Amino acid sequence: MARRKNQKKGPKKTFGTRDDSNNQKNWTELVKENEKWETYYKDLGVIPVEEWDQFKKTCQSQLPLTFRITGSRKHSKEVLQLFQEHHLPNLTNVTWENEVVKPPMALPWYPEHLGWQLDVSKSVIRKNEQFARMQRFLVVENAVGNISRQEAVSMIPPIVLDVKPHHYVLDMCAAPGSKTAQLIEALHAESDEPSGFVIANDADYKRSHMLVHQLKRLNSANLMVVNHDAQFFPRIKVDSTEGSKGPQFLKFDRVLCDVPCSGDGTMRKNVNVWKDWNTGSGLGLHIVQLNILERGLNLLKEGGKLVYSTCSLNPIENEAVIAAALRRWGDKVRLVNCDDQLPGLVRSKGITEWKVYDKQFQVREKGHENCLDSWFPPTAEEVEKFHLENCMRVYQHQQNTGGFFITVFEKIDTSTAETPVPASETAAAVEEQAQEPELKKAKIDTSSTASHIQKKEKLPRDANEEPFVFVDPNHPALAKCWEFYGIDDKFDKSTCLVRNATGEPTRTIYHVATPLKQLIVNNEDRLKIVYSGVKLFVSQRSDIDCAWRIQSESLPIMKQHMNSARIVPGNMEILKKLLTEAFPRYEDLTADNVDPEFISKTQKLSAGCTFIKVDRNDPSKEDLFLPVWNGSKCINLMVCKEDVHELLYRIFGIETTSKQNPKADHMAKKAQEAADASANSSKEETSEKEEVPAVTVTETSTAE
C-alpha cells in the first residue's frame, strides 16, 4: 500500500508495529522497564529490599487467567462440580513442549472454591485439546452469566464490603462492571427477590452503557445504572415519612468507591503503564479520589460500610487519601481491621511513611509551593489515631496477581453516642454542611463554579433518551397477563414500566424491584438513569388468547408467583428433544412416544407461551423451568442459542462448538428433507412452514 502523503518517514515504532519484510508478521514487545517507577518504589520502601527482584520479575510476567463461578445462581455448585469432575482431571499432569503445565487452582481465599486461577500461556489454551475444551466451557458458561472472567485482586473489594440481600448498595465508579456483578450476586445470594438493590454509577456515558452490557446477563430487577460524576453524585429523594420536615434523602448501607487511579497495579495486563508511568498521574488524581471518597461517606448510612480501593500502589492515591478523609470525619468513621477475613489471602498492611515526589520527580517537603498538605504522611499523633495499618496492600509477587489497595470504612452509629446531635439539625444535614467547603474548592480548582454543585442535582433528560413510564396495573394488557398466567397478588403489579413517551405497552414491558420503582418516580429530575429493570412481557402474535409472552430473563421471579395449567411437567427425554430439535411436530413426538403425558397436556392448551417444568430428582441439582411456544401443530423451546449450548452440556454432557446451533442444524436438515420430498406432500409441507415464521420472530426476540 502506498504511503499517505501526510505520513512521516522514519523508523517504525517498536510497540505494536508489524515488520512486513519477507511477508513475516513479527511483533516487537514493549520493553517492560521504567527507571522512574523503579526509583520511586525502591525509595518509598513499600516492597522489602529482599523481595524487590521477585516483585519486579512478577510485574514483567504474564498475568494468569482468573475466573469465578457466579455465587448467586442456585446451580453454581453444579457448574463447579462440572468443572472439577469433567475438566480439572484432564488439566493435571499435562505437558506442552516438554514442560509440565500448571493445572488450574482454586483461589485459596475465595469463598466456597468458586474462584479459580489458570497460569498457562494463550498458545497452550488454543492448541492443547484439553485446555481448548476448558476454554470452550468457560466461554459457554460466561455467555449465560454462570461464570465471570475477572482479575483475582479485583474480586476482593466486593467480598469485604459484605453485602446482604436487604442492603441498599451504591457502586460509585462501576464500569466495566465486574465488581458490580459481584455486588448483585451477593444481593441475590439467598433469594431471587431480595429487598435491597444496587445502583451502579459511572461518569462516562459510553462506559455506563458498557456496564449495562456486562450486567444484563445477571437478569436482576434490583439493579439501576446511572450516569453521574461520582464527586457530585446527587442526593436521592425517598418518600417523605409522616410528620417529617421536607424531603428525605436516601442513605446507603454499603458503598463501593473503586476510584479512578494511575493503575500501576495493572501493568501485567496493561503494558502501556510501563512507558507512561510518572508521578504526575497520582498527584493529579489525589483530589478527585478524595472528593469521591468524601461523597461516598456522605451518602453512607450510620452503621454502614464503605470500601475504598484502587489498582495503584502509590500512597498518594491510597493512604494519603484515607488519612485526609479521616482528618475531616474525625470520630464519625473508623477503619475496619480485615485480618480475620479472606483467610489464605497474602496481604501487607497499610503504610504510614512515604516521600512525596512532585511532577518534576523532585522530593518535596510539606509546605512547599504547589504541594497539597494532604499528599504528605500523617503526624505521629495521627498515625496512632488513624490505624492506617488496617488498610490492605496486595502486591503482585505475593500470590501471582495484579496489585491492589483496599480499605474498609465503617460509619459510626451516633444514635449510641454520648453527645446527641442538635435537635435543630439532622445528622444528614450536618454531614452535607461539612462536605460543602471541600467540594467547592475542588470545583474551583477544575475551572467551574460552586453554584454548579447545586445545579448538578437537576439533570433534564436528553431528547434521545427513553423515559421510564410505569403502567397502571389494571391496564387491559396487564390485566390479561395476570389472568392468563395465573399471577398471584404477592407479586407487586405496580412495578411494570415501558420505555416510550406514550406510556402504552406496545412491544416490551419491564419489571423493577419495588424500592427501585419509588426511586425512579421520585427522582426523574435528579437521576440520569441509563438502565433498570428486566424484560417481563414481550408482544407476540395478536391472534391468540394472550398477546404477551413472559420473557426468559424474568422467569426466576415469575415462576414463584404463577399458578397455571400452562406450567406442564416434563421429563428429561422431552427436554433433550426440545433442545436439539426446532419446532418438532406433535404427531412426530407422539409417534416417538416421547413423554406422552407432557404432549397430551400441552396439546390441550391454547396457542401461546407455555412452560416446561423438569424435576431432576436430585436435591443437589436445580430443577428446570423453561418457556416453550405451543403451536397448533408443533412446539418449540424458547431459549437463546447460548442457553441451548449451556444446557446441553450441563444437563446432558453434550459438547458443541461455537459454530454449532443444534436447533438450526435440525431446521436445515428438515428443510433438506422437505426439498427432497415427493410433489404429493408439498402442500402439507407448505402448510407446516406457514406456522414457523411467526414463532421464529418470537425466538429472535428472546435472544435479544
Side-chain angles (χ1 to χ4, degrees):
M1 180 181 294
R3 185 185 298 273
R4 294 181 180 178
K5 293 181 179 180
N6 62 349
Q7 188 171 348
K8 295 180 181 179
K9 296 182 179 180
K12 294 185 178 182
K13 296 180 181 179
T14 58
F15 174 67
T17 57
R18 184 175 64 189
D19 181 7
D20 286 326
S21 59
N22 300 321
N23 295 322
Q24 297 295 319
K25 297 181 179 179
N26 298 320
W27 294 77
T28 304
E29 289 189 5
L30 176 75
V31 177
K32 296 178 180 179
E33 293 283 352
N34 186 304
E35 184 179 353
K36 287 185 176 180
W37 169 81
E38 187 162 352
T39 300
Y40 182 75
Y41 281 110
K42 278 185 174 179
D43 201 17
L44 262 58
V46 296
I47 307 296
V49 176
E50 65 274 13
E51 296 178 20
W52 177 264
D53 289 343
Q54 182 187 1
F55 166 73
K56 181 180 177 181
K57 183 178 179 181
T58 305
C59 290
Q60 294 170 323
S61 65
Q62 175 183 295
L63 186 69
L65 181 153
T66 48
F67 65 90
R68 55 184 177 77
I69 298 170
T70 304
S72 63
R73 302 298 174 91
K74 292 181 180 178
H75 53 258
S76 60
K77 296 294 185 182
E78 187 179 346
V79 176
L80 174 62
Q81 183 181 3
L82 193 64
F83 175 72
Q84 290 177 317
E85 294 181 359
H86 291 260
H87 291 276
L88 195 56
N90 298 324
L91 303 176
T92 305
N93 298 322
V94 174
T95 58
W96 183 257
E97 296 182 349
N98 298 322
E99 291 187 5
V100 178
V101 179
K102 294 180 181 179
M105 69 169 214
L107 297 173
W109 47 267
Y110 197 91
E112 302 182 53
H113 305 290
L114 294 176
W116 288 78
Q117 178 169 303
L118 182 63
D119 190 10
V120 299
S121 66
K122 294 180 180 178
S123 62
V124 174
I125 294 176
R126 286 196 305 265
K127 297 178 182 179
N128 179 274
E129 181 181 354
Q130 296 302 329
F131 277 94
R133 284 186 62 233
M134 180 215 63
Q135 172 73 354
R136 173 61 181 158
F137 166 76
L138 296 182
V139 169
V140 169
E141 297 294 345
N142 179 76
V144 298
N146 289 339
I147 279 179
S148 291
R149 287 189 58 176
Q150 183 178 352
E151 189 174 347
V153 286
S154 174
M155 304 176 191
I156 300 172
I159 297 176
V160 296
L161 191 58
D162 190 29
V163 171
K164 303 298 183 185
H166 62 279
H167 283 157
Y168 294 173
V169 186
L170 172 63
D171 189 349
M172 300 189 74
C173 310
S178 56
K179 298 181 189 67
T180 316
Q182 279 183 272
L183 300 177
I184 295 171
E185 292 166 23
L187 198 73
H188 287 270
E190 300 172 11
S191 171
D192 289 315
E193 296 182 274
S195 56
F197 57 78
V198 173
I199 295 181
N201 173 69
D202 201 85
D204 186 277
Y205 182 75
K206 290 183 179 180
R207 282 171 61 85
S208 66
H209 280 270
M210 178 175 63
L211 184 63
V212 173
H213 178 74
Q214 170 84 344
L215 301 176
K216 282 178 70 174
R217 301 174 306 133
L218 300 179
N219 299 331
S220 175
N222 301 68
L223 166 69
M224 179 190 293
V225 177
V226 297
N227 174 217
H228 294 274
D229 184 343
Q231 298 178 85
F232 310 102
F233 192 87
R235 293 185 296 172
I236 299 175
K237 289 192 295 185
V238 296
D239 282 339
S240 298
T241 57
E242 186 176 351
S244 64
K245 296 180 180 179
Q248 300 297 301
F249 296 98
L250 178 67
K251 294 287 184 176
F252 292 90
D253 300 282
R254 298 288 187 267
V255 176
L256 177 59
C257 295
D258 186 55
V259 298
C261 66
S262 59
D264 56 22
T266 69
M267 59 201 328
R268 298 184 67 180
K269 65 177 182 179
N270 182 10
V271 293
N272 286 334
V273 174
W274 285 100
K275 66 183 181 66
D276 295 335
W277 188 93
N278 60 76
T279 52
S281 297
L283 297 173
L285 286 165
H286 174 85
I287 284 296
V288 174
Q289 294 163 338
L290 178 56
N291 281 345
I292 294 174
L293 173 56
E294 294 263 17
R295 188 60 185 152
L297 289 170
N298 193 300
L299 295 166
L300 184 64
K301 182 185 296 183
E302 290 186 353
K305 290 182 180 179
L306 176 148
V307 167
Y308 175 91
S309 61
T310 74
C311 50
S312 169
L313 305 182
N314 192 339
I316 304 297
E317 303 176 66
N318 297 327
E319 286 90 350
V321 174
I322 302 301
L326 290 171
R327 288 187 194 102
R328 188 160 187 80
W329 285 83
D331 295 332
K332 291 182 180 179
V333 299
R334 71 177 184 91
L335 300 188
V336 178
N337 187 318
C338 297
D339 289 347
D340 60 341
Q341 298 186 46
L342 302 177
L345 175 68
V346 182
R347 88 281 306 261
S348 298
K349 295 182 180 298
I351 61 177
T352 57
E353 294 183 6
W354 58 85
K355 293 180 180 179
V356 174
Y357 282 75
D358 65 10
K359 294 180 180 179
Q360 285 71 43
F361 209 68
Q362 298 294 315
V363 177
R364 298 301 183 187
E365 299 295 330
K366 192 172 183 179
H368 189 278
E369 185 181 5
N370 297 325
C371 288
L372 296 178
D373 288 349
S374 57
W375 291 347
F376 293 86
T379 64
E381 182 182 355
E382 288 175 333
V383 168
E384 186 175 347
K385 181 180 179 181
F386 290 169
H387 296 290
L388 292 177
E389 69 275 7
N390 288 340
C391 301
M392 285 189 285
R393 286 178 156 265
V394 181
Y395 298 127
Q396 287 91 326
H397 67 294
Q398 290 176 321
Q399 53 233 310
N400 195 17
T401 65
F404 231 77
F405 176 86
I406 309 102
T407 302
V408 182
F409 284 84
E410 182 180 17
K411 200 168 189 180
I412 305 303
D413 187 350
T414 57
S415 63
T416 59
E418 295 181 3
T419 305
V421 177
S424 59
E425 295 179 304
T426 64
V430 172
E431 291 173 8
E432 289 290 342
Q433 188 176 11
Q435 292 307 302
E436 194 69 13
E438 186 67 33
L439 289 177
K440 284 183 178 180
K441 178 182 177 182
K443 208 60 185 172
I444 290 171
D445 289 343
T446 54
S447 304
S448 188
T449 61
S451 61
H452 186 60
I453 297 171
Q454 303 300 329
K455 293 178 181 178
K456 290 286 286 186
E457 289 191 348
K458 291 192 175 183
L459 295 172
R461 188 175 299 279
D462 188 279
N464 295 323
E465 293 180 32
E466 295 177 330
F468 290 76
V469 183
F470 285 91
V471 182
D472 186 333
N474 296 316
H475 188 286
L478 287 178
K480 181 63 178 178
C481 291
W482 309 142
E483 178 186 4
F484 187 76
Y485 293 111
I487 308 299
D488 63 33
D489 291 333
K490 293 181 180 179
F491 178 74
D492 188 351
K493 298 174 182 177
S494 69
T495 56
C496 296
L497 63 87
V498 294
R499 300 213 58 189
N500 61 67
T502 67
E504 285 295 314
T506 54
R507 182 183 177 189
T508 305
I509 300 173
Y510 299 84
H511 157 67
V512 297
T514 301
L516 283 183
K517 178 204 170 180
Q518 301 302 325
L519 299 187
I520 293 172
V521 170
N522 294 330
N523 295 275
E524 289 183 313
D525 61 340
R526 287 173 174 260
L527 286 176
K528 188 175 181 182
I529 304 172
V530 176
Y531 170 85
S532 190
V534 294
K535 289 182 180 179
L536 176 56
F537 299 120
V538 176
S539 62
Q540 52 187 15
R541 286 166 43 177
S542 59
D543 59 341
I544 54 178
D545 288 350
C546 182
W548 297 88
R549 171 173 58 85
I550 293 183
Q551 188 76 351
S552 296
E553 62 195 70
S554 63
L555 274 185
I557 297 172
M558 301 310 295
K559 68 181 182 182
Q560 304 176 62
H561 299 284
M562 295 172 61
N563 183 13
S564 171
R566 303 197 75 82
I567 302 173
V568 185
N571 61 26
M572 298 292 280
E573 188 178 3
I574 186 65
L575 176 62
K576 185 177 181 180
K577 193 83 168 177
L578 295 175
L579 282 168
T580 54
E581 294 188 16
F583 310 105
R585 295 173 63 92
Y586 279 123
E587 62 181 71
D588 295 333
L589 294 172
T590 301
D592 293 340
N593 198 30
V594 179
D595 200 342
E597 185 176 358
F598 174 83
I599 300 302
S600 175
K601 289 183 177 180
T602 308
Q603 274 190 296
K604 293 176 182 178
L605 298 174
S606 61
C609 184
T610 311
F611 308 91
I612 179 172
K613 182 179 180 181
V614 181
D615 186 350
R616 299 175 70 188
N617 299 313
D618 187 340
S620 66
K621 296 181 178 179
E622 184 182 30
D623 293 338
L624 301 172
F625 191 95
L626 301 168
V628 295
W629 175 265
N630 180 37
S632 59
K633 296 182 179 179
C634 63
I635 190 172
N636 189 50
L637 188 66
M638 301 303 293
V639 296
C640 62
K641 181 177 70 173
E642 291 78 11
D643 282 321
V644 169
H645 287 297
E646 197 276 333
L647 288 168
L648 281 174
Y649 185 60
R650 178 162 58 90
I651 309 300
F652 299 103
I654 299 175
E655 294 188 51
T656 56
T657 66
S658 58
K659 296 181 180 180
Q660 276 184 291
N661 185 340
K663 296 176 74 173
D665 293 344
H666 171 73
M667 287 292 288
K669 181 180 178 181
K670 295 287 285 185
Q672 185 62 45
E673 290 175 354
D676 296 338
S678 64
N680 293 336
S681 62
S682 62
K683 185 175 182 180
E684 179 181 346
E685 292 161 2
T686 303
S687 177
E688 177 185 352
K689 289 180 181 179
E690 288 174 353
E691 189 175 18
V692 171
V695 186
T696 304
V697 172
T698 309
E699 184 180 20
T700 303
S701 178
T702 304
E704 179 185 66

